[in-house]
Amino acid sequence: MGTDLTRLSAAALADKLTAKEVSSVEATQAHLDRIADVDHAVHAFLQVSGEAALAAAADVDARRAAGESLHALAGVPIAVKDVVVTKGLETTAGSKILQGWIPPYDATLVEKLKAAGLPILGKTNMDEFAMGSSTEHSAYGNTHNPWDLDRIPGGSGGGSAAAVAAYEAPLAIGTDTGGSIRQPAAVTGTVGVKPTYGGVSRYGLIALASSLDQAGPVTRTVLDSALLHELIGGHDPRDSTSIDEPLPALVAAAQQGATADLTGVRVGVIRELQGEGYQPGVLARFEESLELLRGAGAQIVEVSCPHFTYALAAYYLILPAEASSNLAKFDGMRFGLRVVPEDNPTAERVMSATRGQGFGDEVKRRIILGTYALSAGYYDAYYGSAQKVRTLIQRDFTAAFESADVLVSPTAPTTAFKLGEKLDDPLAMYLNDVATIPANLAGVPGLSLPSGLSDDGLPVGFQVLAPAKADDRLYRVGAALEALLENEWGGPLLLKAPELEVAR
Ligand code: GLN
């Protein structure tokens, strides 16, 4: 038997493709076989688009054979979160209200993936409209954490993270509004990056909260994230918030980082994102990673971001406010589900019945919250105050970045919890994002990489944050820490994950 193509990093697989040691059809088939073997247990995918993926793979193989110059990741298959629209491929955002909706166009980032020749394996499971931290709010069933199938894979992008952790895909796309790329990465032992706001086009993402949403990579290595980020990022005239500047050199930064020399780099430890509420094993791994960074020449300083204490409260006003407006378009008239009441089916009653049946509880909860926060009598008290807090958080970041090049914290306060454990307690669920939300409120980029196992044997994430438009710093510091940690572990953390039982 040759190499198991599903175990390679995307960069290593890309090298084999470039060297023509393997074809994209073989690599894509290997991942489709893996999905057939394990996804009955993991349920990372809502749709598997095997035929289209193999056709795209055959096309890229033909282009390679004809001597065309191809993108570095050409032929490497990828999974896409179901909140990103894909032409001709059902896109539901994890909601019943969009069941059966086949988009007539591709998101900009999907166009880029297709143009670069990355076969799309399918669409991944998620909390409905990306609201959640466990993927349990999906209308299509739970995704299971490959480390322990009784546990959550994080959310809202649990499907993308689980697919990458279970070797069903070497690469995946996630979206992060309050942590939905980074927190699932943390609890599955994978790497996830939320780019600078405006760094990756939002055209064709089903909006949750437009001022917070960003798409980004989910991978098994820091270099793979840099490769994918460079491919999907950059200016898009179809997104008015897209940054009209070239991206920093992300792959080069990851390569530089891999030498593990951080001489002169100032790493700021955020005082407010540790201590009470954080699992002891999470804090222990965090401290050990800091020691490794120090050993590599980094200067560790403590910074204070006093308003981060209010980030969660501000987020849960701003997000529902924007979501209530963004979700108004799902009314049974334009997309997906339409429920027609038998009795007197006026347009208004159709809309009400469709929304009543089509949306799940968490979505309804947030629409009600958001509508309330935006109502005339309460606008200033709630939404207005939250926006002021948002400004204070942005100022905290600006001040902190005067004394540090990057800021660091644990990604999530705990490791993966049991399925069902927090489902009836929305506030406990919201607390998972306490360390990731400030970056969304300020628009700064963040990366999570595995920093070891907690006492319960489950993965812990380490978060790196950088100033807006300095995403390259995430990759330099992330790749350095990854190299140092893997040196200690003797390889990637995922090697310690239990083998999944294979169906065939
Ligand atoms: N868990 C957060 C929420 O429920 C984050 C969601 C996200 O990033 N999409 O809002």
Side-chain angles (χ1 to χ4, degrees):
M1 275 297 282
T3 333
D4 181 347
L5 298 176
T6 66
R7 300 285 157 145
L8 300 171
S9 69
L13 180 56
D15 285 345
K16 285 193 180 290
L17 288 162
T18 309
K20 298 190 186 155
E21 281 172 44
V22 292
S23 69
S24 177
V25 167
E26 287 165 327
T28 303
Q29 189 61 57
H31 287 92
L32 291 170
D33 291 345
R34 176 72 180 167
I35 293 169
D37 283 346
V38 301
D39 208 52
H40 63 97
V42 179
H43 189 42
F45 285 87
L46 293 177
Q47 307 285 335
V48 178
S49 46
E51 255 176 59
L54 288 169
D59 180 60
V60 81
D61 285 340
R63 282 159 60 192
R64 197 183 309 274
E68 244 182 71
S69 91
L70 298 170
H71 186 273
L73 290 175
V76 178
I78 187 163
V80 176
K81 188 178 177 182
D82 203 33
V83 75
V84 181
V85 307
T86 40
K87 186 175 179 174
L89 182 58
E90 185 179 347
T91 300
T92 68
S95 181
K96 281 276 181 254
I97 210 162
L98 278 176
Q99 192 163 33
W101 182 55
I102 313 279
Y105 70 109
D106 276 324
T108 295
L109 77 86
V110 172
E111 279 182 357
K112 290 189 180 201
L113 297 177
K114 287 183 177 173
L118 281 75
I120 295 175
L121 295 166
K123 304 299 289 288
T124 56
N125 198 13
M126 55 182 284
D127 286 295
E128 185 174 2
F129 289 111
M131 298 179 187
S133 302
S134 67
T135 312
E136 292 168 292
H137 296 312
S138 167
Y140 302 101
N142 297 328
T143 294
H144 301 262
N145 191 319
W147 287 80
D148 176 349
L149 297 172
D150 293 330
R151 290 179 187 268
I152 60 103
S156 64
S160 284
V164 169
Y167 302 103
E168 295 173 88
L171 299 170
I173 296 291
T175 59
D176 191 311
T177 305
S180 288
I181 289 176
R182 289 163 288 157
Q183 181 259 6
V187 301
T188 58
T190 55
V191 177
V193 179
K194 181 200 93 73
T196 295
Y197 183 77
V200 174
S201 172
R202 289 185 298 109
Y203 180 80
L205 308 192
I206 298 173
L208 170 54
S210 313
S211 77
L212 304 164
D213 296 344
Q214 262 298 285
V218 182
T219 65
R220 290 191 293 265
T221 72
V222 173
L223 176 61
D224 285 358
S225 275
L227 286 160
L228 182 54
H229 187 163
E230 273 194 10
L231 168 57
I232 61 174
H235 183 239
D236 180 9
R238 292 183 293 189
D239 171 0
S240 63
T241 58
S242 165
I243 299 169
D244 192 1
E245 283 173 36
L247 287 175
L250 309 175
V251 172
Q255 283 160 344
Q256 184 196 1
T259 62
D261 178 5
L262 293 176
T263 311
V265 177
R266 297 167 308 160
V267 174
V269 179
I270 304 171
R271 190 185 302 152
E272 287 75 12
L273 298 184
Q274 49 180 318
E276 209 192 320
Y278 289 79
Q279 198 175 300
V282 167
L283 292 174
R285 296 301 84 76
F286 180 66
E287 291 299 328
E288 288 160 14
S289 290
L290 287 182
E291 275 319 303
L292 290 175
L293 293 174
R294 202 193 306 272
Q299 187 193 336
I300 312 289
V301 297
E302 196 185 54
V303 298
S304 176
C305 295
H307 300 96
F308 281 19
T309 326
Y310 309 107
L312 202 67
Y315 172 87
Y316 278 101
L317 286 167
I318 293 169
L319 177 136
E322 293 188 23
S324 68
S325 162
N326 278 327
L327 297 182
K329 63 181 168 284
F330 301 108
D331 56 7
M333 299 292 136
R334 286 166 270 214
F335 315 92
L337 182 74
R338 174 178 299 167
V339 181
V340 182
E342 272 179 28
D343 173 38
N344 185 24
T346 61
E348 203 170 292
R349 282 171 51 79
V350 170
M351 289 179 188
S352 162
T354 302
R355 286 167 71 83
Q357 283 186 36
F359 288 140
D361 288 348
E362 182 63 22
V363 174
K364 287 178 184 161
R365 181 179 296 127
R366 296 200 195 187
I367 290 174
I368 292 168
L369 265 172
T371 312
Y372 182 76
L374 289 177
S375 58
Y378 296 104
Y379 183 92
D380 283 336
Y382 294 117
Y383 186 73
S385 305
Q387 290 291 23
K388 286 179 191 154
V389 171
R390 187 173 189 174
T391 303
L392 295 172
I393 287 167
Q394 287 161 350
R395 288 187 193 153
D396 279 358
F397 269 115
T398 307
F401 283 126
E402 272 168 23
S403 48
D405 301 302
V406 294
L407 303 179
V408 297
S409 76
T411 309
T414 69
T415 54
F417 46 92
K418 286 244 160 71
L419 286 161
E421 198 179 310
K422 300 192 180 175
L423 202 49
D424 298 326
D425 186 351
L427 291 182
M429 192 72 92
Y430 296 171
L431 275 169
N432 287 292
D433 305 307
V434 67
T436 46
I437 278 173
N440 300 79
L441 289 172
V444 305
L447 172 149
S448 178
L449 79 159
S451 69
L453 301 180
S454 185
D455 309 331
D456 52 16
L458 294 166
V460 172
F462 185 94
Q463 176 174 241
V464 187
L465 303 167
K469 301 195 273 189
D471 305 49
D472 50 330
R473 295 187 198 172
L474 305 178
Y475 290 104
R476 175 159 179 216
V477 174
L481 182 56
E482 177 183 61
L484 294 161
L485 285 165
E486 291 194 357
N487 188 34
E488 303 230 313
W489 301 330
L493 187 72
L494 271 174
L495 291 180
K496 299 182 197 278
E499 283 294 329
L500 291 168
E501 201 157 322
V502 161
R504 294 177 303 169

